[in-house]
Structure formats: structure tokens, C-alpha cells
Amino acid sequence: MRPREFDADIAVVGLGAMGANAAWRLAERGLNVIGIERFHPGHVLGSSHGKTRVFRVACLEHPNLVPLARRSRELWTTLQDLSGTPVIRNTGAVMIGPESSEVISGTLAAATAHDLPITRLTRNELQQRFPQHQNLAPDHVGIWDPEAGVVHPEAGISAAVDAARAAGATIYTDTKVTGIELIDGGVVVTTPTGRFTVAQVVVTTGAWLNKLVPNLPLTPLRTPMMWFEPADKNDPSFRLESFPTFIRAVDADNWIWGHGSGDGFAVKVGPDRDPNFREVDPDTIDRGISPVDWRLVSELVSKALPGLNPVPVLTTTCMVTHSPDGHFQIGRPYDDPRLIVGGGCSGHAFKHASGIGELIAQIACGEEPFVDLAFVDPNRFLRGQDRGLAYRPRYIESRA
Ligand SMILES: Cc1cc2nc3c(=O)[nH]c(=O)nc-3n(C[C@H](O)[C@H](O)[C@H](O)COP(=O)(O)OP(=O)(O)OC[C@H]3O[C@@H](n4cnc5c(N)ncnc54)[C@H](O)[C@@H]3O)c2cc1C
């Protein structure tokens, strides 16, 4: 039982990909949940807009992501059923690169560890099945992941917020949290219009996570997004059905990822990294796009996908928040029983966000997490600080 002076069991601050799902999974468990979002669910100012995100199960980044992706797929499907709106779509995905590249070796490691139903493709088979991919290097091979596809971020977040509300959560939108104070036995969450005293707080503010939990090692990067059209606009071979999700190591230094067009979205292609991705303050990010932003991806499209017009038809800015080791930061910093964070998306967390919401709910409720969380535990970075700086977040205040 929570003490009578508490306004709720738990507050979730930031209802983007991770927070909306955390609020839903917590409310489903019967907790009294307050969810607070600075803008509105499905907005275009954070990290979760742009109509689609690549969904993969054979995750090359870490084998432990496989069970997370599978649970996420179940939960996205539930949200799709609840909302009656497309949230997740199975297209399969092809990984392309040399045998030694991380694209191939990482995918293979995940598939082998979990006995996934992948298919290996020779260069010839790649050319036959996916002729849109041109100029394959002589040593390029492929892996087909039949469980992959795309997720729709705005629809997924809106569905999760609606599901949280339907399960009893109280949702505040257009409300910025300006302070989080850890007090004896609880937390005080401050907004311009009120203060909430709760037993626990979940902070899932994406690129803004450091503004409220300042000591986590996170780097928000300005990451432009681009969409393309076939050179021949009537060419159907770049529709999602025939041009499914892919990751391709074009050369040793450059990967591209993307997928074909569908109802309401064009062909999407992005670079894995670009020297123009620069660290930003999410409150002052330059949202204007210029040709400098698409130069690298245009060059890679010209080389790898010459059936596309290399000048994008649509662009926008987004933010990736990098963790030093490329893995998320999910858990209780300093093992504090009042605080849970979810962040450090490192450019690949949307697909997992519904499963991350479930993990956050499990942490909050003291359940056994369905995935071993050691590789995403924020304390892997904080332990050194405990020794060196002896810093503990007794009082956290917004720097915004
Ligand atoms: C260009 C690009 C391509 C990507 N491609 C893929 C992909 O193909 N597949 C994939 O899985 N992932 C991909 N990602 C990564 C994925 O989109 C992110 O991992 C995910 O969206 C991060 O979710 P989040 O919940 O951490 O942040 P967000 O969804 O941005 O949520 C944070 C929320 O907190 C709110 N907030 C901030 N401060 C406050 C405050 N003080 N008070 C209240 N609310 C606050 C914000 O308004 C926001 O709604 C991509 C990212 C980018 C940028």
C-alpha cells in the first residue's frame, strides 16, 4: 500500500517511445500511474517521428536483444489490435556485407545464439532477389531475417498512451517537468502547474534525459532523416513489398539502412554514421536541413541504389542519443529504489520500446526481468563515479 500522502504510485516523465509503453505496462499491472509529456504523444520534436522504424529480430548489436525484439513484437501487435491502426508490419529484412563485417557477423551471432530461422544468401542470390541493390562488392553476402519489418512510431506511441489511459493512468500532455526531487521514501515531480509526490519516478525523456538525470553519459546527436523516390516514379520495384527493410555495408566505412515505400511514406534511406551528425542541445537544435545534410547519403544512394533519384524528396531532423558502448541505459542509477531511467537509444531502440516499457514495469514492481539486464544497466557507467566522485543524485533539478 502506498502512503496516503502520495498522489500516485509512480510518475512516468516523457511519453515518447519508452515512456508511453512504460506507462501502459505499469497501468496494466494495476499501479496508480501519472504520465507527463512536455509536448503531445506522437510529436516530431524528439527521436520518435518519421512514419517508420526498422524492426529486426536477429539484432546484430547484441544477442540479448533477440528476446527483447520478440516480446516487443507481441506488444506492438497488441497495441495494433487495441488501436485498430497499423503499428507493425512484417516484411522480412536483408542484411548485406562482407562475411567479416559486423552487419553479417553480428546478425549471425544473434541468430545462432537463439536458433533463429534466418537464411544465408550468396552474392548471386542477393542479385536475383534484390536487383535494386547494385554494385555489390565481390565478397558481399546476405542474411534474410524473415521476422523483421517496420514499426510506425507515431501510431505506436499514440496507441500506447491511449492504452495507458484506458488502463487507468492519468496523462498530462503539454506539461514540462522542471524538477525531480528525491525525498525520503519517495519523489517530488515538479511542473509549472503543480507538484506530484509519488513513490517512484521513471525518467524516459530521450535526448533530454541528461537535463533531469545529469550524470548519465549520453550524447544527443542531430540526425537528419531523408526519403527518396525511384528515378522512374512509376517503378513499382521500390515498394515495401519488393524492397524490404535492409542494412547494407556499402564499403568498409559506410553502412546504409532503409526500406521501400508504402501507404503514406516514401523510400527511406539513412547512413549509419555521418561526420555531419553533431552533438546538440535538444532545446536549441537547428532543425533546418541543407544539402550538406544529405551529401553523404546521396553519394551512397547513387552507388548502391542507382534506381533511386539521389536527391531526397523529403527531409526532417531527428535526434539519436548515444551511449558510450552503443547499448541502452535501463534500470535504477545507483540502485536507487525511487528512480528508474530508460534512455541511451543509440539509434536502434524504437523497435524494442514496447519491450523496454515491459522491462521498466518489471523493475518498478520487483519482478524478474524477462531479459538479463546487465548489458543495459546504467550502473555500468556510474560505478566509477561512485568511487571517484562519490556523487549521489539526492536532488535533481532541470537544467533546461
Ligand atoms: C534518424 C533516426 C533513425 C532511427 N531508426 C531506427 C530504426 O530504424 N529502428 C529502431 O529501432 N530505432 C531507430 N531509431 C532510434 C529510435 O527512434 C529511438 O531509439 C527512440 O525513438 C527513442 O525513444 P525515447 O523514448 O528514448 O525518446 P523519445 O521518443 O524522443 O521520447 C522522449 C520524450 O520525453 C519528452 N520530454 C523531454 N523532456 C521532458 C520534460 N522535461 N518533461 C516532460 N516530457 C519531456 C519528449 O517530449 C519526448 O516525447 C532511429 C532514430 C533516429 C533519430
Side-chain angles (χ1 to χ4, degrees):
M1 284 290 285
R2 67 190 159 85
R4 276 176 47 200
E5 67 271 19
F6 282 0
D7 296 302
D9 296 314
I10 192 159
V12 181
V13 179
L15 301 179
M18 299 187 194
N21 282 287
W24 171 42
R25 301 316 299 158
L26 285 160
E28 277 286 323
R29 283 169 167 73
L31 268 73
N32 187 344
V33 179
I34 294 174
I36 310 173
E37 166 55 43
R38 174 181 184 166
F39 303 115
H40 57 272
H43 66 82
V44 299
L45 300 169
S47 304
S48 300
H49 54 283
K51 308 287 185 198
T52 53
R53 288 291 185 274
V54 168
F55 181 88
R56 288 170 288 123
V57 172
C59 291
L60 58 98
E61 297 87 352
H62 198 286
N64 282 15
L65 294 173
V66 172
L68 184 52
R70 283 194 154 153
R71 179 68 182 129
S72 297
R73 188 178 50 191
E74 287 170 3
L75 291 166
W76 289 130
T77 305
T78 303
L79 288 174
Q80 177 163 276
D81 294 343
L82 287 173
S83 65
T85 312
V87 169
I88 184 161
R89 182 163 170 182
N90 179 231
T91 63
V94 61
M95 309 294 138
I96 304 173
E99 199 74 55
S100 58
S101 66
E102 205 192 331
V103 177
I104 297 297
S105 63
T107 304
L108 213 48
T112 307
H114 295 276
D115 199 19
L116 297 181
I118 53 142
T119 310
R120 305 208 56 177
L121 301 171
T122 63
R123 184 175 183 277
N124 277 349
E125 287 166 336
L126 272 175
Q127 282 180 317
Q128 274 164 20
R129 273 181 74 169
F130 306 108
Q132 304 89 340
H133 285 280
Q134 292 281 305
N135 295 315
L136 298 173
D139 61 347
H140 276 190
V141 293
I143 295 179
W144 175 249
D145 172 2
E147 297 181 86
V150 293
V151 230
H152 299 294
E154 295 91 341
I157 290 172
S158 296
V161 171
D162 288 347
R165 230 187 237 116
T170 305
I171 303 293
Y172 297 89
T173 61
D174 302 295
T175 304
K176 179 182 174 187
V177 167
T178 52
I180 293 176
E181 184 182 0
L182 302 176
I183 58 170
D184 275 348
V187 187
V188 176
V189 176
T190 307
T191 74
T193 50
R195 285 156 63 88
F196 301 99
T197 304
V198 289
Q200 300 186 60
V201 66
V202 174
V203 189
T204 40
T205 47
W208 290 268
L209 188 50
N210 266 164
K211 303 254 180 187
L212 291 166
V213 187
N215 44 333
L216 296 170
L218 295 166
T219 310
L221 295 182
R222 178 182 175 278
T223 315
M225 236 187 296
M226 290 138 226
W227 289 263
F228 297 85
E229 274 182 345
D232 168 3
K233 285 187 186 162
N234 297 319
D235 177 0
S237 66
F238 282 97
R239 295 278 302 171
L240 192 56
E241 302 78 44
S242 25
F243 186 55
T245 296
F246 68 89
I247 300 181
R248 175 172 168 188
V250 179
D251 55 44
D253 297 324
N254 295 295
W255 297 5
I256 52 173
W257 50 267
H259 58 74
S261 61
D263 293 338
F265 54 92
V267 181
K268 199 179 208 176
V269 185
D272 178 54
R273 59 180 74 92
D274 183 329
N276 286 310
F277 292 173
R278 56 182 186 273
E279 185 174 353
V280 286
D281 179 328
D283 285 321
T284 56
I285 177 176
D286 173 6
R287 294 187 186 274
I289 298 271
S290 76
V292 173
D293 290 313
W294 72 68
R295 190 175 55 212
L296 175 65
V297 76
S298 270
E299 281 171 21
L300 295 170
V301 163
S302 295
K303 178 176 176 189
L305 302 165
L308 293 175
N309 180 342
V311 178
V313 283
L314 185 66
T315 59
T316 188
T317 47
C318 196
M319 287 179 282
V320 161
T321 305
H322 264 291
S323 233
D325 58 4
H327 297 307
F328 317 140
Q329 298 186 30
I330 301 161
R332 295 190 184 279
Y334 303 101
D335 300 319
D336 196 308
R338 299 160 295 184
L339 175 67
I340 300 172
V341 296
C345 83
S346 301
H348 61 111
F350 195 89
K351 68 179 78 55
H352 302 293
S354 52
I356 289 172
E358 178 85 337
L359 288 171
I360 288 173
Q362 290 184 318
I363 295 168
C365 295
E367 298 169 17
E368 182 71 28
F370 68 90
V371 174
D372 180 351
L373 291 176
F375 78 118
V376 292
D377 184 347
N379 293 304
R380 70 193 187 279
F381 301 120
L382 300 178
R383 277 182 202 107
Q385 286 194 30
D386 253 341
R387 282 196 302 275
L389 304 176
Y391 176 84
R392 281 189 69 82
R394 274 299 294 171
Y395 182 77
I396 302 171
E397 196 175 22
S398 171
R399 288 190 284 147

